[in-house]
């Protein structure tokens, strides 16, 4: 009886062991399937995961992190080597974020420029948060994704939303936003700031006489004139039908404001010819300096407007004082 009972118990133990083996194999198969699905999802979404032990400088990367870097899956690089894939400014921002995650237990979410092994410039998003055990940071874990296509699309949409389609200059909404920013910066730093308003003289006559296509040509040529290399540090905008503006922050240009005005007036002396008829347009320019009495964008624009109308009156007086010539 004892022998039979022992044999039965041994049989039951064998069956339990067999069940455990089967369960373990099923768990391993499920885990392998989950890992495979996770790796496929990473590839499809261009996302990788990483973990950095603390203390330690050897991050652990998922396979797709290697792929985004353009590296074969293999030995994990140290932090210093991994940082070399970022341009200096992006590297600085990411270093600060990692330090704050470890020392201040702060999560981070950064978009940075990134250069692959092959030298391709990409845009990546790196998110991370501290892993805390018993109140102490034992690691930083996160995800790493290639968002280059999304970044390009968003940049194009922003550019389209902020750009005048005809001239390629900033539109009124972008101009107002940038002028507010420039005024706030000037208040903080005390740096000089100029606003130039430009009104095209003779544009309506060209539109009425030669047609809207000729008028559009004048507007396009004006846009090209205000994008000259020497004005690259200025924001040029089309703020109305034939009204343009420049935000001038370059100290060298501000110091030579009269010369800048004269040079822009020369650039805006434009001619168009249709069916043998040639008409010429010009531009009146009013330049105002920002100071503490400009409490709002409207105050600053009103000051530049006053200078613009003074310039227009002076141009009318000049035309009356000179022999009549065929010009619009």
């Amino acid at each position: 009886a004892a022998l039979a009972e022992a044999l039965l118990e041994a049989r039951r133990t064998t069956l339990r062991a067999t069940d455990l083996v089967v369960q373990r194999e099923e768990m391993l198969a499920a885990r392998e399937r989950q890992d495979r699905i996770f790796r496929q999802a990473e590839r499809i979404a261009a996302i990788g995961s990483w973990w950095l032990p603390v203390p330690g400088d050897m991050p652990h990367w998922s396979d797709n992190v290697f792929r985004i870097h353009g590296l074969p899956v293999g030995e994990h690089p140290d932090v210093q080597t991994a940082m070399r894939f970022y341009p200096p400014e992006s590297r600085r921002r990411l270093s600060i974020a990692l330090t704050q995650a470890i020392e201040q237990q702060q999560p981070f979410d950064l978009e940075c420029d990134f250069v692959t092994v092959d030298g391709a410039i990409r845009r990546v998003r790196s998110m991370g948060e501290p892993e805390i055990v018993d109140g102490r940071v034992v690691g930083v874990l996160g995800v790493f994704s290639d968002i280059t296509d999304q970044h390009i699309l968003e940049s194009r949409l922003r550019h389209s939303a902020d750009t005048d389609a005809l001239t390629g200059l900033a539109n009124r909404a972008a101009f107002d936003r940038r002028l507010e920013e420039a005024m706030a910066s000037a208040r903080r730093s005390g740096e000089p700031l100029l606003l130039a308003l430009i009104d095209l003289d003779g544009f309506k006559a060209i539109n009425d006489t030669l047609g809207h296509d000729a008028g559009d040509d004048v507007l396009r040529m004006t846009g090209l004139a205000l994008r000259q290399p020497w004005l690259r540090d200025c924001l040029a905008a089309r703020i109305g039908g034939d009204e343009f503006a420049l935000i001038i922050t370059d100290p060298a240009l501000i110091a030579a404001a009269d010369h800048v005005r004269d040079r822009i007036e020369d650039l805006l002396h434009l001619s168009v010819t249709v069916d043998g008829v040639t008409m010429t347009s010009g531009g009146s320019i009013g330049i105002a300096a920002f100071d503490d009495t400009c409490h709002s964008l409207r105050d600053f624009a009103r000051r530049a407007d006053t200078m613009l109308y003074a310039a227009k009156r002076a141009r009318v007086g000049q035309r009356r004082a000179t022999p009549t010539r065929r010009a619009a």
Side-chain angles (χ1 to χ4, degrees):
L3 179 59
E5 187 177 343
L7 289 172
L8 289 173
E9 182 61 28
R11 176 64 175 169
R12 285 193 293 269
T13 301
T14 301
L15 291 173
R16 285 197 298 269
T18 302
D19 288 342
L20 289 172
V21 170
V22 171
Q23 291 175 11
R24 182 175 182 275
E25 289 177 349
E26 290 176 348
M27 290 175 60
L28 289 174
R31 181 176 177 180
E32 183 179 350
R33 183 168 60 254
Q34 290 173 347
D35 287 345
R36 184 171 64 253
I37 292 172
F38 179 73
R39 288 194 296 271
Q40 289 175 332
E42 279 194 339
R43 286 196 298 273
I44 293 170
I47 291 176
S49 57
W50 54 269
W51 179 69
L52 175 66
V54 177
D57 65 349
M58 189 69 70
H60 298 269
W61 289 355
S62 69
D63 292 353
N64 215 43
V65 175
F66 285 95
R67 293 189 184 95
I68 294 173
H69 283 72
L71 293 169
V73 178
E75 184 178 351
H76 299 275
D78 57 30
V79 171
Q80 186 176 0
T81 301
M83 286 292 187
R84 292 174 186 163
F85 289 89
Y86 296 87
E89 177 59 21
S90 296
R91 189 183 312 155
R92 183 190 68 82
R93 292 173 57 214
L94 188 56
S95 296
I96 292 173
L98 280 172
T99 300
Q100 291 177 340
I102 295 169
E103 296 180 355
Q104 302 175 23
Q105 301 184 4
Q106 293 182 358
F108 62 87
D109 185 345
L110 295 177
E111 288 188 18
C112 299
D113 292 327
F114 180 81
V115 183
T116 67
V117 169
D118 298 331
I121 299 175
R122 311 292 291 175
R123 186 76 172 181
V124 295
R125 183 181 184 185
S126 186
M127 295 180 288
E129 63 179 37
E131 180 184 4
I132 302 172
V133 176
D134 297 330
R136 183 174 62 88
V137 176
V138 298
V140 181
L141 53 91
V143 294
F144 180 77
S145 56
D146 184 341
I147 59 169
T148 304
D149 294 340
Q150 175 186 340
H151 177 70
I152 291 173
L153 177 60
E154 290 176 352
S155 297
R156 287 175 178 171
L157 290 174
R158 282 194 298 269
H159 182 267
S160 177
D162 290 344
T163 303
D164 176 66
L166 184 61
T167 64
L169 302 178
N171 59 21
R172 182 59 183 261
F175 167 78
D176 287 349
R177 187 172 61 251
R178 290 287 296 275
L179 183 57
E180 290 277 13
E181 293 170 357
M183 291 169 63
S185 176
R187 286 192 190 98
R188 290 192 303 268
S189 66
E191 295 292 330
L193 170 66
L194 295 183
L195 171 61
L197 295 184
I198 302 166
D199 191 54
L200 299 185
D201 298 323
F203 175 76
K204 185 177 184 302
I206 291 174
N207 241 357
D208 294 344
T209 305
L210 301 183
H212 292 296
D213 288 343
D216 288 350
D217 286 342
V218 170
L219 294 175
R220 277 189 285 266
M221 288 188 290
T222 301
L224 288 173
L226 297 179
R227 292 200 303 272
Q228 293 290 310
W230 66 279
L231 291 171
R232 63 181 176 273
D233 294 327
C234 304
L235 176 75
R238 182 188 178 197
I239 58 174
D242 61 348
E243 299 173 346
F244 295 81
L246 275 174
I247 300 173
I248 305 173
T249 57
D250 185 337
L253 296 180
I254 291 173
D258 290 341
H259 175 67
V260 169
R261 182 184 58 245
D262 293 342
R263 193 169 176 184
I264 293 175
E265 285 181 351
D266 290 341
L267 289 172
L268 297 181
H269 191 77
L270 304 168
S271 297
V272 288
T273 301
V274 176
D275 296 331
V277 178
T278 299
M279 298 185 71
T280 304
S281 71
S284 296
I285 304 171
I287 299 180
F290 176 78
D291 60 28
D292 293 338
T293 64
C294 295
H295 302 294
S296 66
L297 185 150
R298 178 174 293 184
D299 291 340
F300 198 11
R302 187 181 295 116
R303 178 176 297 181
D305 246 346
T306 300
M307 302 300 293
L308 172 62
Y309 284 110
K312 290 182 77 70
R313 286 194 298 270
R315 286 176 68 87
V316 170
Q318 290 171 2
R319 283 198 293 268
R320 288 175 177 170
T322 57
T324 301
R325 59 180 181 178
R326 194 160 73 89

